[in-house]
Amino acid sequence: MIKQAVTNFLGTKFERDVRKIQPIVDEIHRHEDRLKDFGEEELQAQTEKFRQIIHERTHELDEKITELKETKKRTASASDRERMAMQIGQLEPELQATIQEVLDEILPEAYATVREACRRLLSRDIVVRGHDMQWDMVPYDVQLIGGIVLHQGKIAEMATGEGKTLVATMPLYLNALPGRGAHLVTVNDYLAKRDSEWMGTVFQYLGLTVGCLDATEPGTPERRAAYECEITYGTNNEFGFDYLRDNMVHGLADRVQRAHNYAIIDEVDSVLIDEARTPLIISGPVGREDNKRYGEFNAQVSGLARKQARLVNALLAEAEELLGRAEGEEGDQEAWYQLGEKVLLAHRGMPKNKKLAKLLQEPGVRKIMQRVEADYMREKRLHELEEDLLYSMDEKGHQVHLTDQGLDTLSPKDHEAFVVPDLSQVFHEIEKDESLSTDEKRAKVAVQEREYAEKSEKIHIIHQLLKAHTLFERDADYVVENGQVIIVDEFTGRKMAGRRWSDGLHQAVEAKEAVTVRGETQTLATITIQNYFRMYEKLAGMTGTAETEEGEFHEIYGLEVVVIPTNRPVRRIDQDDVVYKTKREKYAALLDEIERMHNRGLPILVGTTSVDTSETVSRMLRRRGIKHNVLNAKYHEREAEIVDHLALLVHYIVVLQQPFAGVEVRQLDTLLGALDRRCNDDPPCGLVILGTERHDSRRIDRQLRGRSGRQGDAGSSLFFLSLEDDLMRLFMAERLAKIMDRLGAEEGEVITHPWVTKAIERAQKRVELTNFDARKRLLEYDDVMNQQREVIYDLRRARSGT
């Protein structure tokens, strides 16, 4: 109550942050008024003027540090080297602080210089990625605010279409002036190459050098030259892998990176949050090039999965019979409880079974299942119930567990096949056996170790195969192309060529899909995304969606989030979610809405959460004779062709696998946005966003919505959900099912209310918290390795004379 009153009086934290920055924006305009009268050479000379100011304030400290480093190289005494290292360690933060102080002072004039340079470049012809275009951008005031936030080492949240690419030019220019390097980190190589050429127009006009990592090969002189440029563009993976490669080279001359001074991360939530769960790893082959053992056991596990499916279907058939008795005139309570047991078993055995999903929609069924589960868990007897299955699944924990019956099915003639002995006990008994000689004891120990290793490997392979068959879905978690299993990133929707799941899981999926099972690899060098980017002296980021992860940014990276206001008021209408009982009803309603909007001539973007769903919607649209295009991980190579084709259509319908950090999706945004602007006078007009389900992360949903309503354009968004969606099924279905039962909802009826939308967002928060905990644990483990990594790398550099 008090907090709300303070907010109403003083404004939100973000509004207060923006008010503090406004005086700097006013000062930028004052400098800009003065610079308008400068000649072109005089304006370009501003860069050298700024460099001279920085040099005058920092050269004494810089020279001291350089002298100490040179002396340290020539010093043989370890104690003297340590003393000088401590002196350097004290002086470098002082130098960094002095540089930042000078940059803060010259910021208004430097930003005014960039803004004036943009104005002078207006209508000039430039070439970007082989395409002729004209420069047509001058930063707005809100972009100046975003640029100031980035210089301050914070995250600027700016809505889609607000021009973040241009915003970055100002802090990059300012922080490149000391000559210590300024990096712009992007999410894909297309953006790195495009932006280095596009924004490079401004930097080169003002006399700065620009390089792009992704336009060069790793370990080459060209790659080193890209790092030597004052401003360097590149993908997060290239920056991270170059760091690992630099610490594996044989000589100092082979290193390409220099100090980690300043970096701006574009789509910072994608890089520092989504990608943070997968460490960067350089690996090499170990042992055989292929692994046939996965193929040997795959037939057994595949047969086990089929047998479990038959078992679950039989359980559901029994449950349907029990439902008839339970719903009789008297209402058989014993039948109800038995029904709950059968349904619970089916749920533990195959949670995505279609017959199960249909049965759970019946009034009272989900409630009795939850009651039975609570009873068994309270009495700690759930494992007894699960023994009727071959294996049990925990969808939330992403785990699968073989039961005794399942083990017996896999090895009917050897009940000890999956029992691993206690080696310490076995070795103790061998040692006590006085009838054996020393050599015989050694031989027996070796036999036991070999048998233990073989049995452990067999158990591990079968467990990974079981996970592959039950928890990983084709066209959702991965795609199969050219005889290879390629992981699909769950957050970007892109194929991750060259990436492989660890611990034998990738081999298990390859065996499941009957492609060549490649051998396992060993890690040669690794670092987490978190620890790599925490090496930078100053880090900043920009994205359209950061506020929901504000706590993690602050806790892990020490980064503050500032929400920048839009240049024009947002006119997009975000409607409350609509919830149906089944997917069939949901898709029917979705198709009706697409057809209705299509007939009105409105552009439509349909967001899905997987390749499979995008293709399902596409098939339904084809049946109705509605022309459309699909952008997903399978067709991302054809993005440019698809987007060019859209320009020829009268109406625009795109089925987009969301999330999708596409090469041409931004071009698609511009294309659809142009149509938005043609109908700005009609409030219901504009780009229509239709979501087929909610993503685990609220950010991804916000990204989808943000594609509509850019720069004050009209637009609307609406999500279609069902109780069978994964997020709803795991976190929300029981509560909404009760409401629907109480209201007596018939087939096709829908629930929609702001409270429902908020409840769904709370479920997303729970998933986000779980994912945050996973990333935090990964970082905690890597922190231990990181300490060792830094010591080893420092020793290598010291021996190299650095």
Side-chain angles (χ1 to χ4, degrees):
M1 194 82 174
I2 296 173
K3 183 179 178 182
Q4 185 62 46
V6 172
T7 300
N8 291 339
F9 181 68
L10 298 176
T12 65
K13 173 187 174 297
F14 303 125
E15 290 169 343
R16 296 195 297 273
D17 288 339
V18 170
R19 282 202 296 269
K20 288 177 186 175
I21 292 171
Q22 190 57 46
I24 304 175
V25 174
D26 296 338
E27 192 173 350
I28 292 170
H29 287 312
R30 285 194 289 273
H31 281 288
E32 196 177 354
D33 290 338
R34 180 175 56 85
L35 293 173
K36 284 177 182 176
D37 297 328
F38 278 32
E40 191 154 308
E41 290 184 5
E42 198 176 359
L43 180 66
Q44 292 170 331
Q46 287 282 101
T47 301
E48 190 55 41
K49 169 190 166 183
F50 296 139
R51 285 175 176 153
Q52 191 60 37
I53 293 171
I54 295 167
H55 176 74
E56 289 173 1
R57 296 275 291 274
T58 62
H59 76 278
E60 289 185 9
L61 273 173
D62 206 6
E63 286 171 4
K64 277 184 188 178
I65 292 170
T66 303
E67 186 179 338
L68 278 168
K69 285 182 177 179
E70 290 298 321
T71 307
K72 184 181 165 212
K73 284 182 189 178
R74 298 190 298 269
T75 302
S77 168
S79 59
D80 287 344
R81 285 174 62 88
E82 185 178 355
R83 177 178 53 79
M84 283 182 276
M86 290 179 65
Q87 287 179 305
I88 293 168
Q90 291 170 348
L91 289 172
E92 283 184 335
E94 188 179 342
L95 174 62
Q96 185 68 20
T98 305
I99 289 172
Q100 292 308 311
E101 187 180 312
V102 182
L103 294 182
D104 289 344
E105 291 174 11
I106 65 173
L107 182 150
E109 189 174 356
Y111 278 29
T113 300
V114 174
R115 199 161 188 259
E116 181 60 24
C118 290
R119 185 174 285 106
R120 302 280 176 101
L121 289 169
L122 283 175
S123 300
R124 291 201 187 184
D125 293 330
I126 59 175
V127 179
V128 178
R129 307 301 300 147
H131 296 288
D132 294 329
M133 57 186 296
Q134 286 189 332
W135 183 267
D136 60 353
M137 297 180 291
V138 177
Y140 305 124
D141 279 6
V142 291
Q143 291 175 309
L144 294 178
I145 294 170
I148 294 165
V149 168
L150 292 176
H151 167 71
Q152 292 172 343
K154 299 176 183 178
I155 292 173
E157 178 179 304
M158 301 184 72
T160 302
E162 291 295 305
K164 292 185 286 292
T165 305
L166 181 63
V167 169
T169 58
M170 294 172 284
L172 281 174
Y173 171 77
L174 178 63
N175 285 271
L177 292 171
R180 296 160 67 88
H183 298 163
L184 193 289
V185 184
T186 67
V187 291
N188 63 56
D189 59 344
Y190 174 87
L191 294 177
K193 294 171 186 174
R194 185 201 70 178
D195 294 352
S196 63
E197 295 178 14
W198 194 15
M199 300 300 113
T201 305
V202 179
F203 300 132
Q204 289 161 1
Y205 177 85
L206 290 171
L208 295 183
T209 55
V210 184
C212 177
L213 301 184
D214 297 82
T216 64
E217 292 297 319
T220 60
E222 291 77 18
R223 177 63 61 94
R224 190 181 307 109
Y227 277 108
E228 290 297 325
C229 289
E230 288 155 312
I231 295 170
T232 305
Y233 282 75
T235 56
N236 56 299
N237 286 341
E238 286 304 311
F239 280 109
F241 282 128
D242 279 340
Y243 171 75
L244 295 177
R245 294 185 195 106
D246 274 1
N247 287 288
M248 294 173 64
V249 297
H250 296 291
L252 182 61
D254 298 323
R255 293 167 61 87
V256 297
Q257 282 194 344
R258 51 178 176 159
H260 298 85
N261 175 47
Y262 176 69
I264 297 174
I265 304 176
D266 189 13
E267 305 298 347
V268 65
D269 52 340
S270 178
V271 174
L272 296 189
I273 301 293
D274 301 339
E275 300 251 357
R277 287 198 291 181
T278 307
L280 301 174
I281 298 173
I282 293 179
S283 60
V286 55
R288 301 184 300 273
E289 289 187 4
D290 59 3
N291 194 325
K292 295 179 180 177
R293 297 207 70 191
Y294 285 88
E296 292 170 8
F297 294 115
N298 182 59
Q300 286 179 273
V301 176
S302 179
L304 188 76
R306 288 195 298 271
K307 190 173 180 180
Q308 174 103 329
R310 291 194 296 270
L311 179 60
V312 168
N313 286 331
L315 285 167
L316 292 171
E318 293 174 27
E320 286 173 350
E321 290 181 13
L322 287 165
L323 182 60
R325 285 167 45 195
E327 290 182 330
E329 291 183 10
E330 299 296 325
D332 189 333
Q333 292 303 309
E334 185 179 347
W336 268 115
Y337 203 83
Q338 289 175 1
L339 167 66
E341 290 178 326
K342 301 292 183 186
V343 175
L344 176 59
L345 263 180
H347 187 264
R348 299 291 291 183
M350 193 174 285
K352 292 186 179 180
N353 185 287
K354 292 181 179 178
K355 288 184 180 177
L356 172 65
K358 186 176 179 181
L359 188 59
L360 286 172
Q361 303 309 319
E362 296 291 337
V365 173
R366 187 179 292 274
K367 184 177 179 181
I368 190 62
M369 182 190 78
Q370 290 164 349
R371 179 187 155 194
V372 171
E373 184 176 27
D375 289 347
Y376 272 87
M377 291 185 73
R378 184 171 57 253
E379 297 168 10
K380 298 182 179 178
R381 293 192 302 119
L382 190 57
H383 65 282
E384 296 177 10
L385 184 69
E386 290 175 346
E387 283 305 319
D388 289 335
L389 298 169
L390 303 176
Y391 54 83
S392 64
M393 294 173 61
D394 174 12
E395 254 196 307
K396 289 182 183 178
H398 213 59
Q399 294 295 326
V400 61
H401 169 68
L402 270 168
T403 64
D404 287 344
Q405 186 182 167
L407 294 173
D408 289 341
T409 303
L410 288 172
S411 184
K413 296 180 181 179
D414 182 7
H415 295 285
E416 300 297 314
F418 296 97
V419 178
V420 180
D422 182 351
L423 278 185
S424 61
Q425 180 65 28
V426 173
F427 291 163
H428 180 67
E429 290 175 1
I430 293 172
E431 190 62 37
K432 284 174 61 180
D433 191 344
E434 295 179 359
S435 66
L436 298 173
S437 67
T438 303
D439 289 341
E440 287 173 330
K441 288 178 180 178
R442 287 175 182 165
K444 204 164 184 180
V445 165
V447 169
Q448 291 294 328
E449 286 177 336
R450 185 168 59 252
E451 289 179 357
Y452 178 90
E454 289 174 358
K455 190 174 283 189
S456 297
E457 184 185 12
K458 179 180 178 181
I459 293 170
H460 177 71
I461 288 173
I462 286 176
H463 186 257
Q464 294 298 72
L465 282 166
L466 191 59
K467 287 179 70 174
H469 277 275
T470 58
L471 298 173
F472 288 80
E473 294 184 39
R474 183 169 177 166
D475 290 342
D477 301 295
Y478 63 91
V479 294
V480 179
E481 287 184 359
N482 302 319
Q484 290 188 346
V485 170
I486 303 174
I487 300 171
V488 174
D489 189 291
E490 65 176 303
F491 289 100
T492 65
R494 285 201 159 269
K495 291 180 290 190
M496 302 169 72
R499 296 280 188 97
R500 292 175 66 81
W501 286 302
S502 62
D503 206 25
L505 179 59
H506 208 96
Q507 285 81 1
V509 176
E510 287 172 331
K512 169 191 170 185
E513 296 295 340
V515 300
T516 302
V517 180
R518 293 163 55 191
E520 295 188 38
T521 57
Q522 63 179 342
T523 299
L524 302 177
T526 179
I527 190 171
T528 58
I529 290 287
Q530 296 105 314
N531 272 325
Y532 175 73
F533 283 108
R534 291 199 302 185
M535 290 193 298
Y536 278 87
E537 294 284 347
K538 186 166 71 169
L539 187 64
M542 52 187 185
T543 181
T545 48
E547 188 181 357
T548 55
E549 310 291 348
E550 186 178 9
E552 181 167 353
F553 281 125
H554 185 267
E555 185 171 343
I556 302 297
Y557 304 98
L559 289 170
E560 183 182 336
V561 175
V562 178
V563 177
I564 311 299
T566 55
N567 184 51
R568 295 175 181 170
V570 177
R571 296 174 57 204
R572 184 185 67 244
I573 300 169
D574 296 326
Q575 302 176 65
D576 291 322
D577 300 350
V578 291
V579 184
Y580 294 85
K581 269 194 170 185
T582 65
K583 283 186 177 181
R584 182 174 55 80
E585 296 170 57
K586 175 184 76 173
Y587 285 133
L590 171 68
L591 267 290
D592 288 343
E593 182 69 8
I594 291 174
E595 195 163 15
R596 189 171 70 86
M597 294 296 173
H598 179 59
N599 291 336
R600 290 182 55 197
L602 297 180
I604 304 166
L605 191 62
V606 183
T608 71
T609 58
S610 69
V611 175
D612 185 52
T613 307
S614 67
E615 294 184 342
T616 298
V617 174
S618 178
R619 284 194 300 272
M620 292 177 174
L621 287 169
R622 283 200 300 272
R623 288 195 201 109
R624 295 205 183 190
I626 300 174
K627 289 185 178 181
H628 64 283
N629 275 278
V630 180
L631 283 177
N632 63 29
K634 281 188 173 180
Y635 307 117
H636 78 266
E637 293 90 349
R638 294 181 53 235
E639 285 174 67
E641 175 192 336
I642 290 170
V643 173
D644 286 343
H645 175 61
L646 284 173
L648 304 175
L649 298 178
V650 177
H651 304 312
Y652 301 78
I653 299 179
V654 181
V655 180
L656 175 73
Q657 178 199 347
Q658 179 73 12
F660 197 70
V663 167
E664 299 293 339
V665 165
R666 296 183 186 209
Q667 184 183 337
L668 172 63
D669 289 341
T670 305
L671 185 63
L672 294 173
L675 192 59
D676 289 348
R677 281 184 282 279
R678 290 212 304 268
C679 51
N680 269 353
D681 295 333
D682 181 10
C685 200
L687 175 58
V688 177
I689 300 290
L690 300 176
T692 61
E693 61 187 283
R694 286 281 198 162
H695 196 274
D696 286 352
S697 170
R698 289 171 294 163
R699 288 184 297 105
I700 305 301
D701 293 340
R702 289 182 63 198
Q703 286 172 13
L704 178 61
R705 276 188 160 138
R707 297 194 184 281
S708 175
R710 297 153 54 98
Q711 285 293 328
D713 291 340
S716 64
S717 70
L718 174 63
F719 281 83
F720 289 79
L721 315 178
S722 82
L723 299 187
E724 295 176 358
D725 296 344
D726 287 347
L727 181 72
M728 302 290 288
R729 189 164 48 80
L730 293 172
F731 295 99
M732 288 291 299
E734 64 275 7
R735 278 172 283 175
L736 288 178
K738 287 177 186 175
I739 295 171
M740 285 187 159
D741 290 347
R742 198 174 298 127
L743 295 174
E746 299 294 329
E747 182 173 334
E749 287 194 41
V750 62
I751 283 183
T752 179
H753 195 280
W755 290 356
V756 174
T757 302
K758 286 176 182 173
I760 293 166
E761 289 177 351
R762 284 196 295 272
Q764 289 175 304
K765 286 181 183 178
R766 289 163 63 188
V767 179
E768 289 167 358
L769 186 60
T770 301
N771 291 337
F772 170 49
D773 288 340
R775 289 188 292 268
K776 192 174 179 182
R777 280 196 299 273
L778 173 67
L779 182 60
E780 287 168 355
Y781 290 135
D782 192 62
D783 279 342
V784 178
M785 289 180 59
N786 200 48
Q787 293 173 10
Q788 300 170 358
R789 184 188 300 121
E790 288 177 352
V791 170
I792 297 298
Y793 289 174
D794 284 346
L795 283 171
R796 291 187 81 239
R797 284 193 290 270
R799 290 181 179 180
S800 300
T802 55

